[in-house]
Amino acid sequence: MQNEVQTTSLVEVQQMVQSITKQQGISTLAFVGCGASMSELYPAKYFLEQEAHSLRTALLTANEFNYARPNFADESAVVVVASLGGTTKESIEATKNAHDWGCTVVAVTHNPDAKLTEAADYVLVHSFFTSYATKAAKTKVVLEFSAEMLNAVEGYDNYDAIQTAFAGIDDVINEGVKSVTPAAKEFAQEYKDDQLIYTISSGATFGTAYSTANFLFMEMQWIASPVIHSGEYFHGPFEMTNNGTPYLLFMNDGKTRHLDARVLEFLQRFDARVTVIDAKDYGLDSVCAPTVIDYFNPLIITGVMRVYAEELAKVRNHPLTKRQYMWKLENY
């Protein structure tokens, strides 16, 4: 196990936000990253889209941010840039650009001494290796930061409810994953020879679907995986559904559950091979009120999916760390 760090505490997040919001005229909270780090910022962006009245938000891949500066990138913007190890060159450049453009820059990383932090005004540190809950620690700390920013800038009616959810979600994740190994082993055996798996979800969990498809499947297992939003499935992609077509569906507990359930009904109707990971099975409602539960689906599903990915890697004899190009090529 690599050396672990402690995630920035809620009190530290609150102090950070208090310092940031002393500045008047903040109008944008934007999120920037690459790969898995970008997808792990998605729930915070989704949260602000749903809850903010005036605070603007955006989610951008780092090199597009670097080469196509958005007009919001000035003194009125807080820009959150994430990279697990803090070494992603495009994200390092994004922190520098955001700083030079006058933005308040918040770096998010597992390594507080990384180059990512050099041009940042503030640093959110997250753990990663301790437990399955820490696989979602980046998402959680950025969501905490976003809730504090929203509350400070314009107020947030469900602030107390979301604090209760933050306090309990790690235990829900770690307890939930204890029961999933048999289902994960079954999934691994069923899908081990597939060269393509469609990945589907909605709401805040669409970022987790994107991450699963692009990184756990394509990057780490070399399995092609188109990612589909449940709301878009019936507007083109459902034509690919046939007897035996492999799907992985993340079901949400919350407002967009109907979208996921509609997809599942169709997949079953036409005898597709579908595995469902349903957030409702893991007791989210024990810590999450209906007003905030949508934003915590991706955290529990991230933890559970990690078990599924580990079991798939075992039966395929393809470690999650195996790469063709990453870490092996200097110029790309």
Side-chain angles (χ1 to χ4, degrees):
M1 180 182 293
Q2 297 189 35
N3 291 333
E4 190 60 290
V5 296
Q6 291 295 316
T7 298
T8 301
S9 70
L10 176 59
V11 170
E12 291 170 322
V13 171
Q14 291 169 335
Q15 291 171 342
M16 187 182 302
V17 168
Q18 186 178 27
S19 176
I20 292 170
T21 53
K22 285 180 180 178
Q23 172 186 332
Q24 298 298 310
I26 292 175
S27 60
T28 303
L29 176 52
F31 305 97
V32 175
C34 298
S37 287
M38 184 183 73
S39 68
E40 288 160 337
L41 299 172
Y42 187 92
K45 187 271 298 191
Y46 183 86
F47 162 77
L48 289 174
E49 285 179 337
Q50 291 290 305
E51 301 292 351
H53 294 282
S54 59
L55 186 63
R56 179 180 178 182
T57 191
L59 175 66
L60 302 96
T61 190
N63 239 16
E64 186 162 1
F65 180 79
N66 293 332
Y67 282 92
R69 175 184 175 179
N71 283 337
F72 68 70
D74 58 22
E75 293 82 359
S76 67
V78 177
V79 176
V80 177
V81 186
S83 169
L84 175 61
T87 59
T88 306
K89 60 184 180 181
E90 297 90 343
S91 298
I92 293 169
E93 186 67 19
T95 62
K96 295 176 181 177
N97 284 331
H99 179 269
D100 290 346
W101 297 336
C103 308
T104 298
V105 184
V106 180
V108 185
T109 180
H110 173 65
N111 179 8
D113 300 317
K115 287 183 68 66
L116 184 79
T117 68
E118 291 178 0
D121 301 291
Y122 302 91
V123 180
L124 289 170
V125 180
H126 64 87
S127 52
F128 186 76
F129 300 100
T130 302
S131 67
Y132 286 102
T134 61
K135 302 304 180 188
K138 185 189 303 175
T139 297
K140 180 185 175 185
V141 75
V142 174
L143 188 58
E144 283 182 322
F145 176 78
S146 301
E148 293 294 335
M149 284 291 299
L150 179 63
N151 194 49
V153 171
E154 62 178 68
Y156 176 40
D157 290 342
N158 298 314
Y159 179 81
D160 291 341
I162 207 168
Q163 292 306 321
T164 298
F166 284 133
I169 188 63
D170 285 2
D171 288 341
V172 171
I173 296 170
N174 286 329
E175 187 62 29
V177 298
K178 292 178 181 178
S179 66
V180 305
T181 298
K185 288 182 179 293
E186 183 178 340
F187 166 83
Q189 289 296 330
E190 176 67 26
Y191 290 76
K192 62 183 174 64
D193 297 321
D194 284 300
Q195 298 302 306
L196 177 146
I197 302 170
Y198 292 95
T199 305
I200 308 179
S201 196
S202 65
T205 309
F206 182 71
T208 309
Y210 179 92
S211 180
T212 298
N214 281 276
F215 313 117
L216 290 179
F217 287 155
M218 289 201 279
E219 178 187 338
M220 299 182 187
Q221 289 298 293
W222 307 346
I223 297 172
S225 186
V227 59
I228 304 168
H229 192 286
S230 300
E232 284 293 289
Y233 171 75
F234 293 100
H235 303 280
F238 75 147
E239 291 291 345
M240 298 301 295
T241 303
N242 294 291
N243 187 311
T245 309
Y247 288 87
L248 174 63
L249 172 64
F250 296 148
M251 293 274 290
N252 287 279
D253 187 355
K255 296 174 185 175
T256 67
R257 186 174 181 83
H258 168 74
L259 281 68
D260 306 327
R262 185 184 174 205
V263 170
L264 178 59
E265 182 180 0
F266 192 89
L267 294 174
Q268 293 173 334
R269 177 181 173 188
F270 289 95
D271 296 320
R273 271 193 301 134
V274 55
T275 290
V276 177
I277 297 179
D278 189 345
K280 204 174 184 70
D281 291 339
Y282 301 100
L284 272 183
D285 59 358
S286 67
V287 297
C288 298
T291 52
V292 300
I293 200 168
D294 295 79
Y295 314 122
F296 291 86
N297 286 284
L299 280 74
I300 184 66
I301 289 178
T302 293
V304 171
M305 185 60 213
R306 189 72 181 196
V307 181
Y308 277 62
E310 289 170 354
E311 294 299 330
L312 183 64
K314 288 177 187 176
V315 300
R316 298 184 75 244
N317 194 28
H318 187 127
L320 295 175
T321 54
K322 186 176 181 178
R323 302 289 188 275
Q324 288 190 93
Y325 308 120
M326 187 177 291
W327 310 317
K328 296 180 179 181
L329 298 181
E330 292 186 3
N331 299 312
Y332 61 92

